[in-house]
PDB file of all heavy atoms in Angstrom:
ATOM      1  N   ASP T  18     -70.023  37.191  19.287  1.00  0.00           N
ATOM      2  CA  ASP T  18     -70.028  38.488  18.552  1.00  0.00           C
ATOM      3  C   ASP T  18     -71.328  39.189  18.971  1.00  0.00           C
ATOM      4  O   ASP T  18     -72.365  38.984  18.357  1.00  0.00           O
ATOM      5  CB  ASP T  18     -69.959  38.251  17.022  1.00  0.00           C
ATOM      6  CG  ASP T  18     -69.828  39.575  16.272  1.00  0.00           C
ATOM      7  OD1 ASP T  18     -69.382  40.595  16.900  1.00  0.00           O
ATOM      8  OD2 ASP T  18     -70.234  39.523  15.130  1.00  0.00           O
ATOM      9  N   PRO T  19     -71.281  39.938  20.081  1.00  0.00           N
ATOM     10  CA  PRO T  19     -72.580  40.558  20.511  1.00  0.00           C
ATOM     11  C   PRO T  19     -73.133  41.419  19.429  1.00  0.00           C
ATOM     12  O   PRO T  19     -72.462  42.304  18.745  1.00  0.00           O
ATOM     13  CB  PRO T  19     -72.104  41.506  21.696  1.00  0.00           C
ATOM     14  CG  PRO T  19     -70.818  40.876  22.147  1.00  0.00           C
ATOM     15  CD  PRO T  19     -70.137  40.256  20.946  1.00  0.00           C
ATOM     16  N   ALA T  20     -74.450  41.333  19.183  1.00  0.00           N
ATOM     17  CA  ALA T  20     -75.106  42.081  18.196  1.00  0.00           C
ATOM     18  C   ALA T  20     -76.599  42.176  18.515  1.00  0.00           C
ATOM     19  O   ALA T  20     -77.030  41.599  19.410  1.00  0.00           O
ATOM     20  CB  ALA T  20     -74.969  41.463  16.757  1.00  0.00           C
ATOM     21  N   SER T  21     -77.346  43.003  17.740  1.00  0.00           N
ATOM     22  CA  SER T  21     -78.774  43.054  17.975  1.00  0.00           C
ATOM     23  C   SER T  21     -79.562  41.806  17.619  1.00  0.00           C
ATOM     24  O   SER T  21     -79.012  40.853  17.082  1.00  0.00           O
ATOM     25  CB  SER T  21     -79.351  44.226  17.053  1.00  0.00           C
ATOM     26  OG  SER T  21     -79.283  43.855  15.778  1.00  0.00           O
ATOM     27  N   ARG T  22     -80.762  41.725  18.024  1.00  0.00           N
ATOM     28  CA  ARG T  22     -81.619  40.551  17.703  1.00  0.00           C
ATOM     29  C   ARG T  22     -81.746  40.321  16.138  1.00  0.00           C
ATOM     30  O   ARG T  22     -81.593  39.121  15.752  1.00  0.00           O
ATOM     31  CB  ARG T  22     -82.972  40.738  18.216  1.00  0.00           C
ATOM     32  CG  ARG T  22     -83.134  40.690  19.706  1.00  0.00           C
ATOM     33  CD  ARG T  22     -84.549  40.821  20.170  1.00  0.00           C
ATOM     34  NE  ARG T  22     -85.210  41.978  19.728  1.00  0.00           N
ATOM     35  CZ  ARG T  22     -85.266  43.136  20.342  1.00  0.00           C
ATOM     36  NH1 ARG T  22     -84.759  43.126  21.531  1.00  0.00           N
ATOM     37  NH2 ARG T  22     -85.901  44.187  19.879  1.00  0.00           N
ATOM     38  N   LEU T  23     -81.945  41.382  15.418  1.00  0.00           N
ATOM     39  CA  LEU T  23     -82.012  41.218  13.914  1.00  0.00           C
ATOM     40  C   LEU T  23     -80.648  40.743  13.360  1.00  0.00           C
ATOM     41  O   LEU T  23     -80.573  39.869  12.566  1.00  0.00           O
ATOM     42  CB  LEU T  23     -82.438  42.486  13.355  1.00  0.00           C
ATOM     43  CG  LEU T  23     -82.684  42.447  11.779  1.00  0.00           C
ATOM     44  CD1 LEU T  23     -83.666  41.351  11.461  1.00  0.00           C
ATOM     45  CD2 LEU T  23     -83.068  43.879  11.315  1.00  0.00           C
ATOM     46  N   ALA T  24     -79.579  41.295  13.847  1.00  0.00           N
ATOM     47  CA  ALA T  24     -78.200  40.925  13.351  1.00  0.00           C
ATOM     48  C   ALA T  24     -77.932  39.473  13.711  1.00  0.00           C
ATOM     49  O   ALA T  24     -77.341  38.747  12.990  1.00  0.00           O
ATOM     50  CB  ALA T  24     -77.106  41.878  13.858  1.00  0.00           C
ATOM     51  N   THR T  25     -78.303  39.086  14.873  1.00  0.00           N
ATOM     52  CA  THR T  25     -78.137  37.656  15.370  1.00  0.00           C
ATOM     53  C   THR T  25     -79.010  36.755  14.454  1.00  0.00           C
ATOM     54  O   THR T  25     -78.433  35.690  14.082  1.00  0.00           O
ATOM     55  CB  THR T  25     -78.556  37.588  16.795  1.00  0.00           C
ATOM     56  OG1 THR T  25     -77.709  38.403  17.558  1.00  0.00           O
ATOM     57  CG2 THR T  25     -78.237  36.115  17.300  1.00  0.00           C
ATOM     58  N   ALA T  26     -80.188  37.229  14.205  1.00  0.00           N
ATOM     59  CA  ALA T  26     -81.038  36.345  13.360  1.00  0.00           C
ATOM     60  C   ALA T  26     -80.465  36.123  11.936  1.00  0.00           C
ATOM     61  O   ALA T  26     -80.372  34.996  11.359  1.00  0.00           O
ATOM     62  CB  ALA T  26     -82.433  36.883  13.215  1.00  0.00           C
ATOM     63  N   ARG T  27     -79.902  37.224  11.492  1.00  0.00           N
ATOM     64  CA  ARG T  27     -79.193  37.224  10.099  1.00  0.00           C
ATOM     65  C   ARG T  27     -77.951  36.267  10.069  1.00  0.00           C
ATOM     66  O   ARG T  27     -77.621  35.608   9.241  1.00  0.00           O
ATOM     67  CB  ARG T  27     -78.859  38.517   9.614  1.00  0.00           C
ATOM     68  CG  ARG T  27     -80.073  39.350   9.123  1.00  0.00           C
ATOM     69  CD  ARG T  27     -79.745  40.691   8.657  1.00  0.00           C
ATOM     70  NE  ARG T  27     -80.901  41.316   8.252  1.00  0.00           N
ATOM     71  CZ  ARG T  27     -81.071  42.656   8.168  1.00  0.00           C
ATOM     72  NH1 ARG T  27     -79.971  43.426   8.412  1.00  0.00           N
ATOM     73  NH2 ARG T  27     -82.210  43.221   7.847  1.00  0.00           N
ATOM     74  N   ALA T  28     -77.235  36.422  11.236  1.00  0.00           N
ATOM     75  CA  ALA T  28     -76.001  35.638  11.405  1.00  0.00           C
ATOM     76  C   ALA T  28     -76.245  34.162  11.580  1.00  0.00           C
ATOM     77  O   ALA T  28     -75.410  33.287  11.237  1.00  0.00           O
ATOM     78  CB  ALA T  28     -75.174  36.170  12.578  1.00  0.00           C
ATOM     79  N   LEU T  29     -77.441  33.719  11.990  1.00  0.00           N
ATOM     80  CA  LEU T  29     -77.786  32.377  12.091  1.00  0.00           C
ATOM     81  C   LEU T  29     -78.416  31.753  10.922  1.00  0.00           C
ATOM     82  O   LEU T  29     -78.445  30.558  10.749  1.00  0.00           O
ATOM     83  CB  LEU T  29     -78.802  32.227  13.341  1.00  0.00           C
ATOM     84  CG  LEU T  29     -78.257  32.515  14.747  1.00  0.00           C
ATOM     85  CD1 LEU T  29     -79.349  32.439  15.709  1.00  0.00           C
ATOM     86  CD2 LEU T  29     -77.135  31.569  15.026  1.00  0.00           C
ATOM     87  N   SER T  30     -79.069  32.551   9.987  1.00  0.00           N
ATOM     88  CA  SER T  30     -79.691  32.083   8.779  1.00  0.00           C
ATOM     89  C   SER T  30     -78.584  31.591   7.823  1.00  0.00           C
ATOM     90  O   SER T  30     -77.522  32.356   7.688  1.00  0.00           O
ATOM     91  CB  SER T  30     -80.496  33.195   8.133  1.00  0.00           C
ATOM     92  OG  SER T  30     -81.521  33.543   8.961  1.00  0.00           O
ATOM     93  N   PRO T  31     -78.870  30.547   7.115  1.00  0.00           N
ATOM     94  CA  PRO T  31     -77.834  29.956   6.174  1.00  0.00           C
ATOM     95  C   PRO T  31     -77.397  30.895   5.090  1.00  0.00           C
ATOM     96  O   PRO T  31     -76.286  30.972   4.661  1.00  0.00           O
ATOM     97  CB  PRO T  31     -78.495  28.698   5.636  1.00  0.00           C
ATOM     98  CG  PRO T  31     -79.764  28.516   6.417  1.00  0.00           C
ATOM     99  CD  PRO T  31     -80.106  29.672   7.194  1.00  0.00           C
ATOM    100  N   GLU T  32     -78.354  31.699   4.558  1.00  0.00           N
ATOM    101  CA  GLU T  32     -78.023  32.581   3.438  1.00  0.00           C
ATOM    102  C   GLU T  32     -77.103  33.663   3.844  1.00  0.00           C
ATOM    103  O   GLU T  32     -76.274  34.057   2.934  1.00  0.00           O
ATOM    104  CB  GLU T  32     -79.309  33.105   2.870  1.00  0.00           C
ATOM    105  CG  GLU T  32     -80.157  32.121   2.099  1.00  0.00           C
ATOM    106  CD  GLU T  32     -79.513  31.493   0.996  1.00  0.00           C
ATOM    107  OE1 GLU T  32     -78.858  32.136   0.195  1.00  0.00           O
ATOM    108  OE2 GLU T  32     -79.636  30.166   0.745  1.00  0.00           O
ATOM    109  N   THR T  33     -77.205  34.110   5.050  1.00  0.00           N
ATOM    110  CA  THR T  33     -76.386  35.347   5.424  1.00  0.00           C
ATOM    111  C   THR T  33     -75.570  35.066   6.565  1.00  0.00           C
ATOM    112  O   THR T  33     -74.996  35.896   7.324  1.00  0.00           O
ATOM    113  CB  THR T  33     -77.270  36.478   5.760  1.00  0.00           C
ATOM    114  OG1 THR T  33     -78.279  36.033   6.793  1.00  0.00           O
ATOM    115  CG2 THR T  33     -78.101  37.000   4.668  1.00  0.00           C
ATOM    116  N   ALA T  34     -75.276  33.782   6.777  1.00  0.00           N
ATOM    117  CA  ALA T  34     -74.426  33.317   8.088  1.00  0.00           C
ATOM    118  C   ALA T  34     -73.066  33.770   7.928  1.00  0.00           C
ATOM    119  O   ALA T  34     -72.479  33.845   6.938  1.00  0.00           O
ATOM    120  CB  ALA T  34     -74.529  31.828   8.133  1.00  0.00           C
ATOM    121  N   SER T  35     -72.478  34.156   9.197  1.00  0.00           N
ATOM    122  CA  SER T  35     -71.116  34.547   9.197  1.00  0.00           C
ATOM    123  C   SER T  35     -70.283  33.458   9.902  1.00  0.00           C
ATOM    124  O   SER T  35     -69.054  33.513   9.834  1.00  0.00           O
ATOM    125  CB  SER T  35     -71.041  35.816  10.045  1.00  0.00           C
ATOM    126  OG  SER T  35     -71.542  35.708  11.366  1.00  0.00           O
ATOM    127  N   THR T  36     -70.863  32.499  10.540  1.00  0.00           N
ATOM    128  CA  THR T  36     -70.286  31.297  11.164  1.00  0.00           C
ATOM    129  C   THR T  36     -71.052  29.947  10.931  1.00  0.00           C
ATOM    130  O   THR T  36     -72.211  30.148  10.381  1.00  0.00           O
ATOM    131  CB  THR T  36     -69.999  31.567  12.640  1.00  0.00           C
ATOM    132  OG1 THR T  36     -71.279  31.568  13.331  1.00  0.00           O
ATOM    133  CG2 THR T  36     -69.200  32.845  13.031  1.00  0.00           C
ATOM    134  N   SER T  37     -70.621  28.966  11.479  1.00  0.00           N
ATOM    135  CA  SER T  37     -71.361  27.691  11.313  1.00  0.00           C
ATOM    136  C   SER T  37     -72.448  27.564  12.452  1.00  0.00           C
ATOM    137  O   SER T  37     -72.970  26.482  12.699  1.00  0.00           O
ATOM    138  CB  SER T  37     -70.366  26.527  11.398  1.00  0.00           C
ATOM    139  OG  SER T  37     -69.757  26.430  12.636  1.00  0.00           O
ATOM    140  N   LEU T  38     -72.597  28.543  13.249  1.00  0.00           N
ATOM    141  CA  LEU T  38     -73.482  28.476  14.462  1.00  0.00           C
ATOM    142  C   LEU T  38     -74.917  28.046  14.137  1.00  0.00           C
ATOM    143  O   LEU T  38     -75.517  27.339  14.839  1.00  0.00           O
ATOM    144  CB  LEU T  38     -73.435  29.762  15.163  1.00  0.00           C
ATOM    145  CG  LEU T  38     -74.357  29.799  16.535  1.00  0.00           C
ATOM    146  CD1 LEU T  38     -73.854  28.820  17.471  1.00  0.00           C
ATOM    147  CD2 LEU T  38     -74.151  31.222  17.123  1.00  0.00           C
ATOM    148  N   GLY T  39     -75.414  28.557  13.000  1.00  0.00           N
ATOM    149  CA  GLY T  39     -76.828  28.188  12.720  1.00  0.00           C
ATOM    150  C   GLY T  39     -76.962  26.742  12.070  1.00  0.00           C
ATOM    151  O   GLY T  39     -77.973  26.063  12.202  1.00  0.00           O
ATOM    152  N   THR T  40     -75.833  26.183  11.482  1.00  0.00           N
ATOM    153  CA  THR T  40     -75.958  24.947  10.919  1.00  0.00           C
ATOM    154  C   THR T  40     -75.660  23.821  11.920  1.00  0.00           C
ATOM    155  O   THR T  40     -76.171  22.741  11.694  1.00  0.00           O
ATOM    156  CB  THR T  40     -74.855  24.824   9.716  1.00  0.00           C
ATOM    157  OG1 THR T  40     -73.585  25.002  10.267  1.00  0.00           O
ATOM    158  CG2 THR T  40     -75.250  25.768   8.687  1.00  0.00           C
ATOM    159  N   VAL T  41     -74.950  24.109  12.988  1.00  0.00           N
ATOM    160  CA  VAL T  41     -74.632  23.058  13.961  1.00  0.00           C
ATOM    161  C   VAL T  41     -75.888  22.387  14.578  1.00  0.00           C
ATOM    162  O   VAL T  41     -76.122  21.285  14.544  1.00  0.00           O
ATOM    163  CB  VAL T  41     -73.575  23.447  14.958  1.00  0.00           C
ATOM    164  CG1 VAL T  41     -73.431  22.474  16.127  1.00  0.00           C
ATOM    165  CG2 VAL T  41     -72.304  23.822  14.339  1.00  0.00           C
ATOM    166  N   PRO T  42     -76.736  23.212  15.170  1.00  0.00           N
ATOM    167  CA  PRO T  42     -78.034  22.714  15.672  1.00  0.00           C
ATOM    168  C   PRO T  42     -79.090  22.508  14.632  1.00  0.00           C
ATOM    169  O   PRO T  42     -80.151  21.992  14.879  1.00  0.00           O
ATOM    170  CB  PRO T  42     -78.529  23.708  16.728  1.00  0.00           C
ATOM    171  CG  PRO T  42     -77.847  25.047  16.305  1.00  0.00           C
ATOM    172  CD  PRO T  42     -76.663  24.670  15.513  1.00  0.00           C
ATOM    173  N   GLY T  43     -78.834  22.830  13.342  1.00  0.00           N
ATOM    174  CA  GLY T  43     -79.806  22.609  12.214  1.00  0.00           C
ATOM    175  C   GLY T  43     -80.879  23.596  12.322  1.00  0.00           C
ATOM    176  O   GLY T  43     -82.114  23.215  12.035  1.00  0.00           O
ATOM    177  N   LEU T  44     -80.673  24.817  12.516  1.00  0.00           N
ATOM    178  CA  LEU T  44     -81.753  25.865  12.689  1.00  0.00           C
ATOM    179  C   LEU T  44     -82.435  26.128  11.382  1.00  0.00           C
ATOM    180  O   LEU T  44     -83.603  26.495  11.373  1.00  0.00           O
ATOM    181  CB  LEU T  44     -81.195  27.121  13.406  1.00  0.00           C
ATOM    182  CG  LEU T  44     -80.739  26.971  14.783  1.00  0.00           C
ATOM    183  CD1 LEU T  44     -80.176  28.265  15.336  1.00  0.00           C
ATOM    184  CD2 LEU T  44     -81.910  26.558  15.645  1.00  0.00           C
ATOM    185  N   GLY T  45     -81.639  26.185  10.309  1.00  0.00           N
ATOM    186  CA  GLY T  45     -82.356  26.637   9.096  1.00  0.00           C
ATOM    187  C   GLY T  45     -82.535  28.098   9.047  1.00  0.00           C
ATOM    188  O   GLY T  45     -81.775  28.933   9.676  1.00  0.00           O
ATOM    189  N   GLU T  46     -83.547  28.644   8.363  1.00  0.00           N
ATOM    190  CA  GLU T  46     -83.876  29.991   8.226  1.00  0.00           C
ATOM    191  C   GLU T  46     -84.341  30.633   9.645  1.00  0.00           C
ATOM    192  O   GLU T  46     -85.322  30.044  10.182  1.00  0.00           O
ATOM    193  CB  GLU T  46     -84.929  30.274   7.150  1.00  0.00           C
ATOM    194  CG  GLU T  46     -85.070  31.719   6.807  1.00  0.00           C
ATOM    195  CD  GLU T  46     -83.871  32.304   6.048  1.00  0.00           C
ATOM    196  OE1 GLU T  46     -83.128  31.578   5.445  1.00  0.00           O
ATOM    197  OE2 GLU T  46     -83.612  33.518   6.230  1.00  0.00           O
ATOM    198  N   VAL T  47     -83.817  31.742  10.012  1.00  0.00           N
ATOM    199  CA  VAL T  47     -84.089  32.279  11.341  1.00  0.00           C
ATOM    200  C   VAL T  47     -84.553  33.717  11.020  1.00  0.00           C
ATOM    201  O   VAL T  47     -83.834  34.470  10.274  1.00  0.00           O
ATOM    202  CB  VAL T  47     -83.016  32.350  12.340  1.00  0.00           C
ATOM    203  CG1 VAL T  47     -83.459  33.022  13.622  1.00  0.00           C
ATOM    204  CG2 VAL T  47     -82.510  30.883  12.620  1.00  0.00           C
ATOM    205  N   THR T  48     -85.702  34.070  11.516  1.00  0.00           N
ATOM    206  CA  THR T  48     -86.214  35.436  11.300  1.00  0.00           C
ATOM    207  C   THR T  48     -86.130  36.340  12.507  1.00  0.00           C
ATOM    208  O   THR T  48     -85.971  35.717  13.641  1.00  0.00           O
ATOM    209  CB  THR T  48     -87.690  35.437  10.765  1.00  0.00           C
ATOM    210  OG1 THR T  48     -88.486  34.962  11.856  1.00  0.00           O
ATOM    211  CG2 THR T  48     -87.943  34.618   9.504  1.00  0.00           C
ATOM    212  N   GLY T  49     -86.288  37.600  12.385  1.00  0.00           N
ATOM    213  CA  GLY T  49     -86.298  38.583  13.490  1.00  0.00           C
ATOM    214  C   GLY T  49     -87.468  38.307  14.505  1.00  0.00           C
ATOM    215  O   GLY T  49     -87.404  38.394  15.665  1.00  0.00           O
ATOM    216  N   ASN T  50     -88.635  37.883  13.840  1.00  0.00           N
ATOM    217  CA  ASN T  50     -89.837  37.636  14.623  1.00  0.00           C
ATOM    218  C   ASN T  50     -89.693  36.378  15.503  1.00  0.00           C
ATOM    219  O   ASN T  50     -90.180  36.305  16.567  1.00  0.00           O
ATOM    220  CB  ASN T  50     -91.064  37.517  13.791  1.00  0.00           C
ATOM    221  CG  ASN T  50     -91.530  38.890  13.195  1.00  0.00           C
ATOM    222  OD1 ASN T  50     -91.159  39.863  13.758  1.00  0.00           O
ATOM    223  ND2 ASN T  50     -92.200  38.915  12.114  1.00  0.00           N
ATOM    224  N   GLU T  51     -88.954  35.406  14.919  1.00  0.00           N
ATOM    225  CA  GLU T  51     -88.702  34.239  15.622  1.00  0.00           C
ATOM    226  C   GLU T  51     -87.715  34.504  16.887  1.00  0.00           C
ATOM    227  O   GLU T  51     -87.932  33.917  17.906  1.00  0.00           O
ATOM    228  CB  GLU T  51     -88.007  33.223  14.685  1.00  0.00           C
ATOM    229  CG  GLU T  51     -88.605  31.789  14.811  1.00  0.00           C
ATOM    230  CD  GLU T  51     -87.942  30.916  13.679  1.00  0.00           C
ATOM    231  OE1 GLU T  51     -87.136  31.387  12.922  1.00  0.00           O
ATOM    232  OE2 GLU T  51     -88.240  29.725  13.864  1.00  0.00           O
ATOM    233  N   MET T  52     -86.835  35.465  16.715  1.00  0.00           N
ATOM    234  CA  MET T  52     -85.981  35.788  17.832  1.00  0.00           C
ATOM    235  C   MET T  52     -86.660  36.495  18.956  1.00  0.00           C
ATOM    236  O   MET T  52     -86.569  36.219  20.072  1.00  0.00           O
ATOM    237  CB  MET T  52     -84.810  36.729  17.298  1.00  0.00           C
ATOM    238  CG  MET T  52     -83.848  36.003  16.474  1.00  0.00           C
ATOM    239  SD  MET T  52     -82.924  34.669  17.228  1.00  0.00           S
ATOM    240  CE  MET T  52     -81.805  35.587  18.272  1.00  0.00           C
ATOM    241  N   LEU T  53     -87.730  37.291  18.505  1.00  0.00           N
ATOM    242  CA  LEU T  53     -88.577  37.945  19.571  1.00  0.00           C
ATOM    243  C   LEU T  53     -89.422  36.888  20.280  1.00  0.00           C
ATOM    244  O   LEU T  53     -89.692  36.916  21.443  1.00  0.00           O
ATOM    245  CB  LEU T  53     -89.425  38.967  18.819  1.00  0.00           C
ATOM    246  CG  LEU T  53     -88.718  40.304  18.368  1.00  0.00           C
ATOM    247  CD1 LEU T  53     -89.685  41.160  17.582  1.00  0.00           C
ATOM    248  CD2 LEU T  53     -88.231  41.016  19.584  1.00  0.00           C
ATOM    249  N   ALA T  54     -89.904  35.911  19.424  1.00  0.00           N
ATOM    250  CA  ALA T  54     -90.820  34.884  20.007  1.00  0.00           C
ATOM    251  C   ALA T  54     -89.942  34.053  20.992  1.00  0.00           C
ATOM    252  O   ALA T  54     -90.420  33.629  22.114  1.00  0.00           O
ATOM    253  CB  ALA T  54     -91.315  34.004  18.972  1.00  0.00           C
ATOM    254  N   MET T  55     -88.655  33.842  20.637  1.00  0.00           N
ATOM    255  CA  MET T  55     -87.749  33.103  21.641  1.00  0.00           C
ATOM    256  C   MET T  55     -87.585  33.801  22.831  1.00  0.00           C
ATOM    257  O   MET T  55     -87.501  33.216  24.007  1.00  0.00           O
ATOM    258  CB  MET T  55     -86.483  32.802  20.874  1.00  0.00           C
ATOM    259  CG  MET T  55     -85.406  32.033  21.623  1.00  0.00           C
ATOM    260  SD  MET T  55     -84.255  33.112  22.573  1.00  0.00           S
ATOM    261  CE  MET T  55     -83.591  34.122  21.474  1.00  0.00           C
TER     262      MET T  55
END
């Protein structure tokens, strides 16, 4: 699901996740700044 960096960060965070993608590797909370650092 192509999206912006911020939308991707929100989709990976457990509180606002839209799929299990963030939980499979055990990422936990993901922020927009972390996506920029990545």
Side-chain angles (χ1 to χ4, degrees):
D18 185 24
S21 67
R22 291 182 301 266
L23 183 58
T25 301
R27 287 182 181 156
L29 293 174
S30 293
E32 292 296 318
T33 55
S35 57
T36 65
S37 64
L38 180 57
T40 59
V41 172
L44 293 176
E46 191 66 32
V47 179
T48 64
N50 288 338
E51 225 174 356
M52 293 298 284
L53 289 172
M55 179 269 303

